[in-house]
PDB file of all heavy atoms in Angstrom:
ATOM      1  N   GLY A  30      -1.981 100.289 186.002  1.00 98.00           N
ATOM      2  CA  GLY A  30      -2.836  99.391 185.107  1.00 98.00           C
ATOM      3  C   GLY A  30      -2.594  99.906 183.692  1.00 98.00           C
ATOM      4  O   GLY A  30      -1.835 100.821 183.352  1.00 98.00           O
ATOM      5  N   LEU A  31      -3.461  99.304 182.687  1.00 98.00           N
ATOM      6  CA  LEU A  31      -3.356  99.719 181.330  1.00 98.00           C
ATOM      7  C   LEU A  31      -4.519 100.775 181.075  1.00 98.00           C
ATOM      8  O   LEU A  31      -5.683 100.605 181.396  1.00 98.00           O
ATOM      9  CB  LEU A  31      -3.677  98.575 180.412  1.00 98.00           C
ATOM     10  CG  LEU A  31      -3.791  98.800 178.928  1.00 98.00           C
ATOM     11  CD1 LEU A  31      -2.620  99.396 178.357  1.00 98.00           C
ATOM     12  CD2 LEU A  31      -4.166  97.485 178.288  1.00 98.00           C
ATOM     13  N   VAL A  32      -4.065 101.844 180.516  1.00 98.00           N
ATOM     14  CA  VAL A  32      -5.102 103.018 180.265  1.00 98.00           C
ATOM     15  C   VAL A  32      -4.799 103.548 178.793  1.00 98.00           C
ATOM     16  O   VAL A  32      -3.711 103.625 178.409  1.00 98.00           O
ATOM     17  CB  VAL A  32      -5.037 104.094 181.329  1.00 98.00           C
ATOM     18  CG1 VAL A  32      -3.710 104.696 181.373  1.00 98.00           C
ATOM     19  CG2 VAL A  32      -6.150 105.014 181.197  1.00 98.00           C
ATOM     20  N   GLN A  33      -5.828 104.052 178.136  1.00 98.00           N
ATOM     21  CA  GLN A  33      -5.690 104.608 176.815  1.00 98.00           C
ATOM     22  C   GLN A  33      -5.212 106.065 177.086  1.00 98.00           C
ATOM     23  O   GLN A  33      -5.403 106.740 178.102  1.00 98.00           O
ATOM     24  CB  GLN A  33      -7.024 104.630 176.089  1.00 98.00           C
ATOM     25  CG  GLN A  33      -7.492 103.222 175.738  1.00 98.00           C
ATOM     26  CD  GLN A  33      -8.728 103.328 174.903  1.00 98.00           C
ATOM     27  OE1 GLN A  33      -9.355 104.318 174.731  1.00 98.00           O
ATOM     28  NE2 GLN A  33      -9.069 102.224 174.190  1.00 98.00           N
ATOM     29  N   PRO A  34      -4.573 106.480 175.932  1.00 98.00           N
ATOM     30  CA  PRO A  34      -4.010 107.995 176.007  1.00 98.00           C
ATOM     31  C   PRO A  34      -5.305 108.843 176.248  1.00 98.00           C
ATOM     32  O   PRO A  34      -6.311 108.621 175.738  1.00 98.00           O
ATOM     33  CB  PRO A  34      -3.531 108.159 174.583  1.00 98.00           C
ATOM     34  CG  PRO A  34      -3.093 106.838 174.237  1.00 98.00           C
ATOM     35  CD  PRO A  34      -4.017 105.767 174.758  1.00 98.00           C
ATOM     36  N   GLY A  35      -4.970 109.761 177.095  1.00 98.00           N
ATOM     37  CA  GLY A  35      -6.105 110.725 177.569  1.00 98.00           C
ATOM     38  C   GLY A  35      -6.836 110.249 178.739  1.00 98.00           C
ATOM     39  O   GLY A  35      -7.629 110.949 179.389  1.00 98.00           O
ATOM     40  N   GLY A  36      -6.569 109.052 179.252  1.00 98.00           N
ATOM     41  CA  GLY A  36      -7.369 108.508 180.407  1.00 98.00           C
ATOM     42  C   GLY A  36      -6.749 108.975 181.656  1.00 98.00           C
ATOM     43  O   GLY A  36      -5.709 109.727 181.639  1.00 98.00           O
ATOM     44  N   SER A  37      -7.362 108.468 182.667  1.00 98.00           N
ATOM     45  CA  SER A  37      -6.815 108.803 184.086  1.00 98.00           C
ATOM     46  C   SER A  37      -6.658 107.555 184.989  1.00 98.00           C
ATOM     47  O   SER A  37      -7.248 106.491 184.790  1.00 98.00           O
ATOM     48  CB  SER A  37      -7.916 109.653 184.755  1.00 98.00           C
ATOM     49  OG  SER A  37      -8.082 110.787 184.075  1.00 98.00           O
ATOM     50  N   LEU A  38      -5.726 107.688 186.007  1.00 98.00           N
ATOM     51  CA  LEU A  38      -5.592 106.688 186.856  1.00 98.00           C
ATOM     52  C   LEU A  38      -5.203 107.416 188.262  1.00 98.00           C
ATOM     53  O   LEU A  38      -4.724 108.567 188.254  1.00 98.00           O
ATOM     54  CB  LEU A  38      -4.288 105.709 186.570  1.00 98.00           C
ATOM     55  CG  LEU A  38      -4.519 104.593 185.586  1.00 98.00           C
ATOM     56  CD1 LEU A  38      -3.182 103.962 185.345  1.00 98.00           C
ATOM     57  CD2 LEU A  38      -5.559 103.652 186.079  1.00 98.00           C
ATOM     58  N   ARG A  39      -5.555 106.716 189.443  1.00 98.00           N
ATOM     59  CA  ARG A  39      -5.120 107.201 190.684  1.00 98.00           C
ATOM     60  C   ARG A  39      -4.317 106.172 191.355  1.00 98.00           C
ATOM     61  O   ARG A  39      -4.780 105.179 191.608  1.00 98.00           O
ATOM     62  CB  ARG A  39      -6.415 107.501 191.620  1.00 98.00           C
ATOM     63  CG  ARG A  39      -6.035 108.293 192.858  1.00 98.00           C
ATOM     64  CD  ARG A  39      -7.318 108.196 193.686  1.00 98.00           C
ATOM     65  NE  ARG A  39      -7.167 109.205 194.842  1.00 98.00           N
ATOM     66  CZ  ARG A  39      -7.812 109.093 195.997  1.00 98.00           C
ATOM     67  NH1 ARG A  39      -8.601 108.072 196.243  1.00 98.00           N
ATOM     68  NH2 ARG A  39      -7.689 109.858 196.912  1.00 98.00           N
ATOM     69  N   LEU A  40      -3.077 106.619 191.719  1.00 98.00           N
ATOM     70  CA  LEU A  40      -2.180 105.721 192.418  1.00 98.00           C
ATOM     71  C   LEU A  40      -2.286 105.914 193.855  1.00 98.00           C
ATOM     72  O   LEU A  40      -2.408 107.117 194.261  1.00 98.00           O
ATOM     73  CB  LEU A  40      -0.756 105.901 191.918  1.00 98.00           C
ATOM     74  CG  LEU A  40      -0.540 105.707 190.364  1.00 98.00           C
ATOM     75  CD1 LEU A  40       1.001 105.888 190.103  1.00 98.00           C
ATOM     76  CD2 LEU A  40      -1.154 104.440 189.942  1.00 98.00           C
ATOM     77  N   SER A  41      -1.950 104.917 194.737  1.00 98.00           N
ATOM     78  CA  SER A  41      -2.054 104.995 196.128  1.00 98.00           C
ATOM     79  C   SER A  41      -0.722 104.423 196.705  1.00 98.00           C
ATOM     80  O   SER A  41      -0.250 103.497 196.029  1.00 98.00           O
ATOM     81  CB  SER A  41      -3.255 104.330 196.784  1.00 98.00           C
ATOM     82  OG  SER A  41      -4.364 104.833 196.296  1.00 98.00           O
ATOM     83  N   CYS A  42      -0.278 104.993 197.728  1.00 97.00           N
ATOM     84  CA  CYS A  42       0.892 104.482 198.384  1.00 97.00           C
ATOM     85  C   CYS A  42       0.628 104.361 199.906  1.00 97.00           C
ATOM     86  O   CYS A  42       0.515 105.459 200.523  1.00 97.00           O
ATOM     87  CB  CYS A  42       2.160 105.293 198.163  1.00 97.00           C
ATOM     88  SG  CYS A  42       3.615 104.934 199.066  1.00 97.00           S
ATOM     89  N   ALA A  43       0.561 103.200 200.509  1.00 95.00           N
ATOM     90  CA  ALA A  43       0.378 102.926 201.854  1.00 95.00           C
ATOM     91  C   ALA A  43       1.645 102.744 202.559  1.00 95.00           C
ATOM     92  O   ALA A  43       2.296 101.880 202.230  1.00 95.00           O
ATOM     93  CB  ALA A  43      -0.587 101.819 202.153  1.00 95.00           C
ATOM     94  N   ALA A  44       1.835 103.522 203.724  1.00 93.00           N
ATOM     95  CA  ALA A  44       3.085 103.451 204.465  1.00 93.00           C
ATOM     96  C   ALA A  44       2.765 102.766 205.846  1.00 93.00           C
ATOM     97  O   ALA A  44       1.761 102.995 206.465  1.00 93.00           O
ATOM     98  CB  ALA A  44       3.602 104.879 204.664  1.00 93.00           C
ATOM     99  N   SER A  45       3.683 101.908 206.268  1.00 88.00           N
ATOM    100  CA  SER A  45       3.548 101.389 207.489  1.00 88.00           C
ATOM    101  C   SER A  45       4.954 101.335 208.233  1.00 88.00           C
ATOM    102  O   SER A  45       5.931 101.444 207.528  1.00 88.00           O
ATOM    103  CB  SER A  45       3.044  99.863 207.559  1.00 88.00           C
ATOM    104  OG  SER A  45       3.879  99.102 206.688  1.00 88.00           O
ATOM    105  N   GLY A  46       4.980 101.187 209.562  1.00 78.00           N
ATOM    106  CA  GLY A  46       6.248 101.179 210.196  1.00 78.00           C
ATOM    107  C   GLY A  46       7.020 102.404 210.479  1.00 78.00           C
ATOM    108  O   GLY A  46       8.193 102.396 210.865  1.00 78.00           O
ATOM    109  N   THR A  47       6.218 103.548 210.285  1.00 79.00           N
ATOM    110  CA  THR A  47       6.900 104.804 210.406  1.00 79.00           C
ATOM    111  C   THR A  47       5.915 105.788 210.791  1.00 79.00           C
ATOM    112  O   THR A  47       4.782 105.641 210.645  1.00 79.00           O
ATOM    113  CB  THR A  47       7.718 105.283 209.096  1.00 79.00           C
ATOM    114  OG1 THR A  47       8.470 106.451 209.339  1.00 79.00           O
ATOM    115  CG2 THR A  47       6.783 105.468 208.045  1.00 79.00           C
ATOM    116  N   ILE A  48       6.369 107.014 211.326  1.00 74.00           N
ATOM    117  CA  ILE A  48       5.618 108.091 211.556  1.00 74.00           C
ATOM    118  C   ILE A  48       5.477 108.804 210.246  1.00 74.00           C
ATOM    119  O   ILE A  48       6.209 109.747 209.964  1.00 74.00           O
ATOM    120  CB  ILE A  48       6.196 109.023 212.781  1.00 74.00           C
ATOM    121  CG1 ILE A  48       6.426 108.123 213.978  1.00 74.00           C
ATOM    122  CG2 ILE A  48       5.201 110.080 213.000  1.00 74.00           C
ATOM    123  CD1 ILE A  48       7.132 108.855 215.020  1.00 74.00           C
ATOM    124  N   PHE A  49       4.532 108.461 209.484  1.00 79.00           N
ATOM    125  CA  PHE A  49       4.368 108.967 208.110  1.00 79.00           C
ATOM    126  C   PHE A  49       4.251 110.417 208.062  1.00 79.00           C
ATOM    127  O   PHE A  49       4.895 111.145 207.074  1.00 79.00           O
ATOM    128  CB  PHE A  49       3.010 108.360 207.549  1.00 79.00           C
ATOM    129  CG  PHE A  49       2.712 108.894 206.200  1.00 79.00           C
ATOM    130  CD1 PHE A  49       3.298 108.371 205.047  1.00 79.00           C
ATOM    131  CD2 PHE A  49       1.567 109.753 206.039  1.00 79.00           C
ATOM    132  CE1 PHE A  49       2.927 108.820 203.789  1.00 79.00           C
ATOM    133  CE2 PHE A  49       1.300 110.268 204.708  1.00 79.00           C
ATOM    134  CZ  PHE A  49       2.037 109.742 203.684  1.00 79.00           C
ATOM    135  N   SER A  50       3.575 111.132 208.959  1.00 82.00           N
ATOM    136  CA  SER A  50       3.354 112.525 208.914  1.00 82.00           C
ATOM    137  C   SER A  50       4.593 113.497 208.963  1.00 82.00           C
ATOM    138  O   SER A  50       4.503 114.634 208.558  1.00 82.00           O
ATOM    139  CB  SER A  50       2.310 113.053 209.892  1.00 82.00           C
ATOM    140  OG  SER A  50       2.828 112.697 211.170  1.00 82.00           O
ATOM    141  N   ILE A  51       5.658 112.905 209.397  1.00 86.00           N
ATOM    142  CA  ILE A  51       6.915 113.732 209.568  1.00 86.00           C
ATOM    143  C   ILE A  51       7.769 113.764 208.273  1.00 86.00           C
ATOM    144  O   ILE A  51       8.788 114.548 208.172  1.00 86.00           O
ATOM    145  CB  ILE A  51       7.768 113.253 210.703  1.00 86.00           C
ATOM    146  CG1 ILE A  51       8.485 111.837 210.294  1.00 86.00           C
ATOM    147  CG2 ILE A  51       7.047 113.151 211.898  1.00 86.00           C
ATOM    148  CD1 ILE A  51       9.483 111.455 211.441  1.00 86.00           C
ATOM    149  N   TYR A  52       7.350 113.000 207.160  1.00 91.00           N
ATOM    150  CA  TYR A  52       8.093 112.920 206.091  1.00 91.00           C
ATOM    151  C   TYR A  52       7.479 113.783 204.949  1.00 91.00           C
ATOM    152  O   TYR A  52       6.357 113.652 204.591  1.00 91.00           O
ATOM    153  CB  TYR A  52       8.309 111.577 205.609  1.00 91.00           C
ATOM    154  CG  TYR A  52       9.202 110.647 206.583  1.00 91.00           C
ATOM    155  CD1 TYR A  52       8.484 109.744 207.389  1.00 91.00           C
ATOM    156  CD2 TYR A  52      10.607 110.759 206.565  1.00 91.00           C
ATOM    157  CE1 TYR A  52       9.287 108.885 208.210  1.00 91.00           C
ATOM    158  CE2 TYR A  52      11.318 109.983 207.425  1.00 91.00           C
ATOM    159  CZ  TYR A  52      10.719 109.051 208.098  1.00 91.00           C
ATOM    160  OH  TYR A  52      11.397 108.264 208.971  1.00 91.00           O
ATOM    161  N   ALA A  53       8.442 114.398 204.156  1.00 95.00           N
ATOM    162  CA  ALA A  53       7.994 114.769 202.767  1.00 95.00           C
ATOM    163  C   ALA A  53       7.967 113.559 201.944  1.00 95.00           C
ATOM    164  O   ALA A  53       8.836 112.619 202.125  1.00 95.00           O
ATOM    165  CB  ALA A  53       8.967 115.834 202.256  1.00 95.00           C
ATOM    166  N   MET A  54       7.075 113.413 201.008  1.00 95.00           N
ATOM    167  CA  MET A  54       6.923 112.218 200.234  1.00 95.00           C
ATOM    168  C   MET A  54       7.011 112.619 198.778  1.00 95.00           C
ATOM    169  O   MET A  54       6.618 113.765 198.366  1.00 95.00           O
ATOM    170  CB  MET A  54       5.520 111.495 200.609  1.00 95.00           C
ATOM    171  CG  MET A  54       5.472 111.080 201.963  1.00 95.00           C
ATOM    172  SD  MET A  54       6.648 109.685 202.384  1.00 95.00           S
ATOM    173  CE  MET A  54       6.095 108.400 201.249  1.00 95.00           C
ATOM    174  N   GLY A  55       7.445 111.659 198.014  1.00 97.00           N
ATOM    175  CA  GLY A  55       7.365 111.874 196.565  1.00 97.00           C
ATOM    176  C   GLY A  55       6.987 110.618 195.745  1.00 97.00           C
ATOM    177  O   GLY A  55       6.931 109.539 196.303  1.00 97.00           O
ATOM    178  N   TRP A  56       6.545 110.876 194.578  1.00 98.00           N
ATOM    179  CA  TRP A  56       6.209 109.841 193.588  1.00 98.00           C
ATOM    180  C   TRP A  56       7.409 109.892 192.522  1.00 98.00           C
ATOM    181  O   TRP A  56       7.665 111.026 191.994  1.00 98.00           O
ATOM    182  CB  TRP A  56       4.856 110.032 192.877  1.00 98.00           C
ATOM    183  CG  TRP A  56       3.687 109.535 193.709  1.00 98.00           C
ATOM    184  CD1 TRP A  56       2.871 110.354 194.539  1.00 98.00           C
ATOM    185  CD2 TRP A  56       3.251 108.177 193.839  1.00 98.00           C
ATOM    186  NE1 TRP A  56       2.043 109.428 195.126  1.00 98.00           N
ATOM    187  CE2 TRP A  56       2.133 108.166 194.679  1.00 98.00           C
ATOM    188  CE3 TRP A  56       3.712 107.052 193.215  1.00 98.00           C
ATOM    189  CZ2 TRP A  56       1.504 107.013 194.972  1.00 98.00           C
ATOM    190  CZ3 TRP A  56       3.075 105.807 193.591  1.00 98.00           C
ATOM    191  CH2 TRP A  56       1.907 105.819 194.490  1.00 98.00           C
ATOM    192  N   TYR A  57       7.822 108.742 192.137  1.00 98.00           N
ATOM    193  CA  TYR A  57       8.977 108.697 191.189  1.00 98.00           C
ATOM    194  C   TYR A  57       8.503 107.634 190.182  1.00 98.00           C
ATOM    195  O   TYR A  57       7.661 106.828 190.390  1.00 98.00           O
ATOM    196  CB  TYR A  57      10.232 108.110 191.930  1.00 98.00           C
ATOM    197  CG  TYR A  57      10.717 108.834 193.080  1.00 98.00           C
ATOM    198  CD1 TYR A  57      10.073 108.809 194.345  1.00 98.00           C
ATOM    199  CD2 TYR A  57      11.856 109.751 192.980  1.00 98.00           C
ATOM    200  CE1 TYR A  57      10.519 109.536 195.517  1.00 98.00           C
ATOM    201  CE2 TYR A  57      12.260 110.351 194.170  1.00 98.00           C
ATOM    202  CZ  TYR A  57      11.635 110.342 195.286  1.00 98.00           C
ATOM    203  OH  TYR A  57      12.084 111.057 196.390  1.00 98.00           O
ATOM    204  N   ARG A  58       9.135 107.644 189.014  1.00 98.00           N
ATOM    205  CA  ARG A  58       8.777 106.737 187.985  1.00 98.00           C
ATOM    206  C   ARG A  58      10.042 106.315 187.211  1.00 98.00           C
ATOM    207  O   ARG A  58      11.144 107.124 187.175  1.00 98.00           O
ATOM    208  CB  ARG A  58       7.724 107.272 187.003  1.00 98.00           C
ATOM    209  CG  ARG A  58       8.234 108.326 186.170  1.00 98.00           C
ATOM    210  CD  ARG A  58       7.148 108.843 185.322  1.00 98.00           C
ATOM    211  NE  ARG A  58       7.453 109.952 184.407  1.00 98.00           N
ATOM    212  CZ  ARG A  58       6.643 110.644 183.611  1.00 98.00           C
ATOM    213  NH1 ARG A  58       5.239 110.403 183.687  1.00 98.00           N
ATOM    214  NH2 ARG A  58       7.082 111.571 182.902  1.00 98.00           N
ATOM    215  N   GLN A  59      10.046 105.119 186.789  1.00 98.00           N
ATOM    216  CA  GLN A  59      11.153 104.605 185.944  1.00 98.00           C
ATOM    217  C   GLN A  59      10.650 103.901 184.711  1.00 98.00           C
ATOM    218  O   GLN A  59       9.900 102.918 184.808  1.00 98.00           O
ATOM    219  CB  GLN A  59      12.030 103.569 186.694  1.00 98.00           C
ATOM    220  CG  GLN A  59      13.286 103.222 185.870  1.00 98.00           C
ATOM    221  CD  GLN A  59      14.339 102.495 186.815  1.00 98.00           C
ATOM    222  OE1 GLN A  59      13.946 102.022 187.897  1.00 98.00           O
ATOM    223  NE2 GLN A  59      15.554 102.524 186.398  1.00 98.00           N
ATOM    224  N   ALA A  60      10.932 104.592 183.549  1.00 96.00           N
ATOM    225  CA  ALA A  60      10.423 103.999 182.281  1.00 96.00           C
ATOM    226  C   ALA A  60      11.506 103.023 181.753  1.00 96.00           C
ATOM    227  O   ALA A  60      12.699 103.082 182.119  1.00 96.00           O
ATOM    228  CB  ALA A  60      10.309 105.147 181.325  1.00 96.00           C
ATOM    229  N   PRO A  61      11.125 102.147 180.839  1.00 92.00           N
ATOM    230  CA  PRO A  61      12.122 101.147 180.439  1.00 92.00           C
ATOM    231  C   PRO A  61      13.320 101.837 179.771  1.00 92.00           C
ATOM    232  O   PRO A  61      13.227 102.753 178.889  1.00 92.00           O
ATOM    233  CB  PRO A  61      11.266 100.493 179.406  1.00 92.00           C
ATOM    234  CG  PRO A  61       9.925 100.507 179.712  1.00 92.00           C
ATOM    235  CD  PRO A  61       9.866 101.958 180.273  1.00 92.00           C
ATOM    236  N   GLY A  62      14.475 101.349 180.156  1.00 94.00           N
ATOM    237  CA  GLY A  62      15.790 101.873 179.613  1.00 94.00           C
ATOM    238  C   GLY A  62      16.130 103.343 180.156  1.00 94.00           C
ATOM    239  O   GLY A  62      17.095 103.867 179.692  1.00 94.00           O
ATOM    240  N   LYS A  63      15.348 103.818 181.151  1.00 96.00           N
ATOM    241  CA  LYS A  63      15.701 105.155 181.662  1.00 96.00           C
ATOM    242  C   LYS A  63      15.959 105.185 183.092  1.00 96.00           C
ATOM    243  O   LYS A  63      15.611 104.252 183.789  1.00 96.00           O
ATOM    244  CB  LYS A  63      14.438 106.046 181.366  1.00 96.00           C
ATOM    245  CG  LYS A  63      14.265 106.281 179.919  1.00 96.00           C
ATOM    246  CD  LYS A  63      13.293 107.439 179.628  1.00 96.00           C
ATOM    247  CE  LYS A  63      13.099 107.669 178.149  1.00 96.00           C
ATOM    248  NZ  LYS A  63      12.112 108.744 177.925  1.00 96.00           N
ATOM    249  N   GLN A  64      16.487 106.324 183.639  1.00 97.00           N
ATOM    250  CA  GLN A  64      16.771 106.402 185.012  1.00 97.00           C
ATOM    251  C   GLN A  64      15.381 106.750 185.718  1.00 97.00           C
ATOM    252  O   GLN A  64      14.554 107.308 185.180  1.00 97.00           O
ATOM    253  CB  GLN A  64      17.696 107.657 185.293  1.00 97.00           C
ATOM    254  CG  GLN A  64      19.093 107.395 184.549  1.00 97.00           C
ATOM    255  CD  GLN A  64      20.176 107.174 185.682  1.00 97.00           C
ATOM    256  OE1 GLN A  64      19.859 106.762 186.705  1.00 97.00           O
ATOM    257  NE2 GLN A  64      21.411 107.261 185.133  1.00 97.00           N
ATOM    258  N   ARG A  65      15.364 106.394 186.953  1.00 97.00           N
ATOM    259  CA  ARG A  65      14.165 106.747 187.861  1.00 97.00           C
ATOM    260  C   ARG A  65      14.227 108.264 188.102  1.00 97.00           C
ATOM    261  O   ARG A  65      15.264 108.821 188.260  1.00 97.00           O
ATOM    262  CB  ARG A  65      14.351 105.991 189.126  1.00 97.00           C
ATOM    263  CG  ARG A  65      13.099 106.247 189.961  1.00 97.00           C
ATOM    264  CD  ARG A  65      12.878 105.009 190.984  1.00 97.00           C
ATOM    265  NE  ARG A  65      14.083 104.441 191.539  1.00 97.00           N
ATOM    266  CZ  ARG A  65      14.105 103.323 192.131  1.00 97.00           C
ATOM    267  NH1 ARG A  65      12.985 102.491 192.167  1.00 97.00           N
ATOM    268  NH2 ARG A  65      15.264 102.859 192.676  1.00 97.00           N
ATOM    269  N   GLU A  66      13.045 108.861 187.954  1.00 98.00           N
ATOM    270  CA  GLU A  66      12.972 110.329 188.004  1.00 98.00           C
ATOM    271  C   GLU A  66      11.846 110.612 189.086  1.00 98.00           C
ATOM    272  O   GLU A  66      10.861 109.993 189.191  1.00 98.00           O
ATOM    273  CB  GLU A  66      12.671 111.008 186.681  1.00 98.00           C
ATOM    274  CG  GLU A  66      11.375 110.479 186.098  1.00 98.00           C
ATOM    275  CD  GLU A  66      11.016 111.217 184.869  1.00 98.00           C
ATOM    276  OE1 GLU A  66      11.594 112.323 184.593  1.00 98.00           O
ATOM    277  OE2 GLU A  66      10.139 110.829 184.051  1.00 98.00           O
ATOM    278  N   LEU A  67      12.033 111.870 189.641  1.00 98.00           N
ATOM    279  CA  LEU A  67      10.995 112.336 190.577  1.00 98.00           C
ATOM    280  C   LEU A  67       9.848 112.958 189.653  1.00 98.00           C
ATOM    281  O   LEU A  67      10.065 113.892 188.871  1.00 98.00           O
ATOM    282  CB  LEU A  67      11.631 113.451 191.443  1.00 98.00           C
ATOM    283  CG  LEU A  67      10.751 114.121 192.362  1.00 98.00           C
ATOM    284  CD1 LEU A  67      10.076 113.097 193.434  1.00 98.00           C
ATOM    285  CD2 LEU A  67      11.392 115.327 193.024  1.00 98.00           C
ATOM    286  N   VAL A  68       8.621 112.609 190.090  1.00 98.00           N
ATOM    287  CA  VAL A  68       7.484 113.124 189.360  1.00 98.00           C
ATOM    288  C   VAL A  68       6.782 114.235 190.071  1.00 98.00           C
ATOM    289  O   VAL A  68       6.355 115.252 189.484  1.00 98.00           O
ATOM    290  CB  VAL A  68       6.504 111.994 188.932  1.00 98.00           C
ATOM    291  CG1 VAL A  68       5.252 112.536 188.437  1.00 98.00           C
ATOM    292  CG2 VAL A  68       7.092 110.979 188.138  1.00 98.00           C
ATOM    293  N   ALA A  69       6.671 114.018 191.321  1.00 98.00           N
ATOM    294  CA  ALA A  69       5.893 114.983 192.165  1.00 98.00           C
ATOM    295  C   ALA A  69       6.353 114.815 193.680  1.00 98.00           C
ATOM    296  O   ALA A  69       6.717 113.666 194.039  1.00 98.00           O
ATOM    297  CB  ALA A  69       4.451 114.813 192.089  1.00 98.00           C
ATOM    298  N   ARG A  70       6.240 115.872 194.434  1.00 98.00           N
ATOM    299  CA  ARG A  70       6.568 115.684 195.794  1.00 98.00           C
ATOM    300  C   ARG A  70       5.611 116.676 196.670  1.00 98.00           C
ATOM    301  O   ARG A  70       5.114 117.655 196.171  1.00 98.00           O
ATOM    302  CB  ARG A  70       8.036 116.008 196.186  1.00 98.00           C
ATOM    303  CG  ARG A  70       8.476 117.390 195.763  1.00 98.00           C
ATOM    304  CD  ARG A  70       9.897 117.624 195.931  1.00 98.00           C
ATOM    305  NE  ARG A  70      10.540 118.767 195.423  1.00 98.00           N
ATOM    306  CZ  ARG A  70      10.660 119.903 196.199  1.00 98.00           C
ATOM    307  NH1 ARG A  70      10.274 119.990 197.404  1.00 98.00           N
ATOM    308  NH2 ARG A  70      11.181 120.949 195.518  1.00 98.00           N
ATOM    309  N   ILE A  71       5.473 116.131 197.933  1.00 97.00           N
ATOM    310  CA  ILE A  71       4.517 116.978 198.801  1.00 97.00           C
ATOM    311  C   ILE A  71       5.236 116.897 200.194  1.00 97.00           C
ATOM    312  O   ILE A  71       5.681 116.014 200.694  1.00 97.00           O
ATOM    313  CB  ILE A  71       3.119 116.317 198.859  1.00 97.00           C
ATOM    314  CG1 ILE A  71       2.213 117.110 199.727  1.00 97.00           C
ATOM    315  CG2 ILE A  71       3.185 114.875 199.367  1.00 97.00           C
ATOM    316  CD1 ILE A  71       0.761 116.685 199.481  1.00 97.00           C
ATOM    317  N   ASN A  72       5.265 118.250 200.731  1.00 95.00           N
ATOM    318  CA  ASN A  72       5.904 118.259 202.092  1.00 95.00           C
ATOM    319  C   ASN A  72       4.944 118.037 203.181  1.00 95.00           C
ATOM    320  O   ASN A  72       3.728 117.805 202.827  1.00 95.00           O
ATOM    321  CB  ASN A  72       6.642 119.575 202.159  1.00 95.00           C
ATOM    322  CG  ASN A  72       5.789 120.821 202.322  1.00 95.00           C
ATOM    323  OD1 ASN A  72       4.499 120.747 202.422  1.00 95.00           O
ATOM    324  ND2 ASN A  72       6.343 122.028 202.073  1.00 95.00           N
ATOM    325  N   THR A  73       5.349 118.191 204.395  1.00 92.00           N
ATOM    326  CA  THR A  73       4.645 117.896 205.503  1.00 92.00           C
ATOM    327  C   THR A  73       3.407 118.803 205.653  1.00 92.00           C
ATOM    328  O   THR A  73       2.447 118.505 206.141  1.00 92.00           O
ATOM    329  CB  THR A  73       5.328 117.781 206.826  1.00 92.00           C
ATOM    330  OG1 THR A  73       5.978 119.070 206.938  1.00 92.00           O
ATOM    331  CG2 THR A  73       6.348 116.715 206.763  1.00 92.00           C
ATOM    332  N   GLY A  74       3.558 120.068 205.186  1.00 91.00           N
ATOM    333  CA  GLY A  74       2.508 121.095 205.231  1.00 91.00           C
ATOM    334  C   GLY A  74       1.511 121.075 204.055  1.00 91.00           C
ATOM    335  O   GLY A  74       0.565 121.702 204.093  1.00 91.00           O
ATOM    336  N   GLY A  75       1.859 120.148 203.062  1.00 93.00           N
ATOM    337  CA  GLY A  75       0.864 120.009 201.875  1.00 93.00           C
ATOM    338  C   GLY A  75       1.361 120.769 200.617  1.00 93.00           C
ATOM    339  O   GLY A  75       0.719 120.717 199.712  1.00 93.00           O
ATOM    340  N   SER A  76       2.419 121.494 200.713  1.00 96.00           N
ATOM    341  CA  SER A  76       2.957 122.187 199.567  1.00 96.00           C
ATOM    342  C   SER A  76       3.542 121.141 198.484  1.00 96.00           C
ATOM    343  O   SER A  76       4.004 120.224 198.966  1.00 96.00           O
ATOM    344  CB  SER A  76       4.126 123.234 199.862  1.00 96.00           C
ATOM    345  OG  SER A  76       3.663 124.155 200.668  1.00 96.00           O
TER     346      SER A  76
END
């Protein structure tokens, strides 16, 4: 959504059709005119 500088948001990603718990997962982002980049990742153990 739209948020002012200094604000907060919580994104969610719901997975279906797979055994979710076996995968390391990541959040990626792509800004206008830029390549997609990895923002954060979490492995199966929570690291």
